[in-house]
Amino acid sequence: MMSQKYKVIDLYKRLLHLGKDYPSGYDLFRSKLHNVFLKNSKENDPVKIEKMIAHGEYVVKELEALYMLKKFRTLKRRYYDN
């Protein structure tokens, strides 16, 4: 099982990767992500850290859904122009 440190690092990397397609731009996404992780870097309570990791996983799923919807709408517009 992964330690919490590696879970957090993995989550940060996945979010950075997903941020490349963020509508407001990668730089804004990266700076906000960095600030959130930096703000919570002093947290030591394992239960709180697990809750934050779970919230981060939720954000990953929401971003993936947002991008899939964007792709779907683009394809729909491209092939079914009304």
Side-chain angles (χ1 to χ4, degrees), residues 1 10-11 16 20 24 26-27 33 36 39-40 50 54 57-58 63-65 70-72 76 78:
M1 184 166 164
D10 180 59
L11 178 63
L16 270 180
K20 291 178 183 175
S24 299
Y26 178 69
D27 291 331
L33 181 67
V36 168
K39 181 182 84 173
N40 294 315
E50 280 300 322
E57 296 291 339
Y58 173 77
L63 281 172
E64 288 171 344
K70 182 179 172 187
K71 281 184 185 178
F72 172 75
K76 186 177 177 187
R78 191 173 294 157

Side-chain angles (χ1 to χ4, degrees), residues 2-65:
M2 291 175 74
S3 74
Q4 284 183 330
K5 176 181 177 181
Y6 294 113
K7 284 183 185 178
V8 170
I9 292 170
D10 180 59
L11 178 63
Y12 186 76
K13 286 180 180 179
R14 284 189 292 140
L15 284 166
L16 270 180
H17 180 71
L18 285 171
K20 291 178 183 175
D21 295 328
Y22 197 69
S24 299
Y26 178 69
D27 291 331
L28 177 68
F29 183 87
R30 186 174 52 88
S31 67
K32 285 187 176 187
L33 181 67
H34 180 75
N35 289 339
V36 168
F37 273 76
L38 196 62
K39 181 182 84 173
N40 294 315
S41 65
K42 303 292 184 209
E43 187 62 54
N44 290 325
D45 184 17
V47 176
K48 285 185 181 178
I49 293 172
E50 280 300 322
K51 284 184 182 179
M52 288 188 270
I53 290 171
H55 181 72
E57 296 291 339
Y58 173 77
V59 171
V60 166
K61 290 190 186 322
E62 287 294 312
L63 281 172
E64 288 171 344

